[in-house]
Amino acid sequence: MKDCIFCKIINKQIPAKIVFENEDVVAFHDINPKAKVHVLIVPKEHREGLSALKKDDALSVGKLMVNIPAVAKQVNLKDFRVVINNGKEAGQTVFHLHVHLMSCDGLLA
Ligand code: 5GP
Ligand code: ZN
């Protein structure tokens, strides 16, 4: 998606501290961390957010979810918090679906 900052990170057009990548997701450190460990997990397929999902997206969202423990392991988190902001009022600022993966000291993003 043109002009999407997370698509640009996925396509390596802008740099990010990537901690995990496979065919489905990319995970990288948040530029403005709200916990000691704060990583964003992003599906490679662009979706605006939870509200934009259709039934057909079940597989792609499932793949996003099942990759969370592998990313957590990569950044040495045994227990962790996960947040998805949906919509401006909820604090969503980047309109490419993403999971915030945070250590337990983190504020809810
Ligand atoms: P949201 O507010 O949409 O739930 O989360 C977006 C997150 O993306 C924020 O925590 C913000 O700090 C992070 N972010 C925004 N732009 C960039 C960027 O260019 N690189 C990285 N690594 N994180 C970003
Ligand atoms: Zn995107």
Side-chain angles (χ1 to χ4, degrees):
M1 171 74 85
K2 202 169 150 282
D3 295 334
C4 170
I5 199 149
F6 288 174
C7 283
K8 285 182 181 167
I9 288 175
I10 291 164
N11 295 323
K12 312 285 175 358
Q13 291 167 291
I14 62 167
K17 291 182 184 167
I18 293 175
V19 297
F20 181 94
E21 178 167 10
N22 65 14
E23 63 274 29
D24 301 315
V25 301
V26 177
F28 50 89
H29 288 286
D30 195 295
I31 206 166
N32 181 22
K34 299 198 173 64
K36 275 187 199 134
V37 179
H38 185 171
V39 166
L40 303 172
I41 311 173
V42 172
K44 285 192 170 174
E45 288 179 11
H46 180 96
R47 299 283 183 278
E48 278 201 6
L50 290 179
S51 287
L53 295 177
K54 310 261 183 323
K55 251 188 163 180
D56 285 354
D57 295 320
L59 184 59
S60 135
V61 175
K63 286 176 176 174
L64 173 62
M65 292 297 151
V66 298
N67 278 300
I68 293 172
V71 180
K73 196 171 175 196
Q74 190 64 31
V75 291
N76 293 314
L77 292 180
K78 186 170 73 65
D79 296 336
F80 49 80
R81 295 206 171 111
V82 161
V83 170
I84 299 176
N85 293 323
N86 181 71
K88 276 203 180 87
E89 280 196 33
Q92 187 176 3
T93 56
V94 178
F95 287 82
H96 179 131
L97 179 65
H98 54 280
V99 168
H100 294 259
L101 170 69
M102 287 178 286
S103 48
C104 300
D105 58 301
L107 300 171
L108 294 181

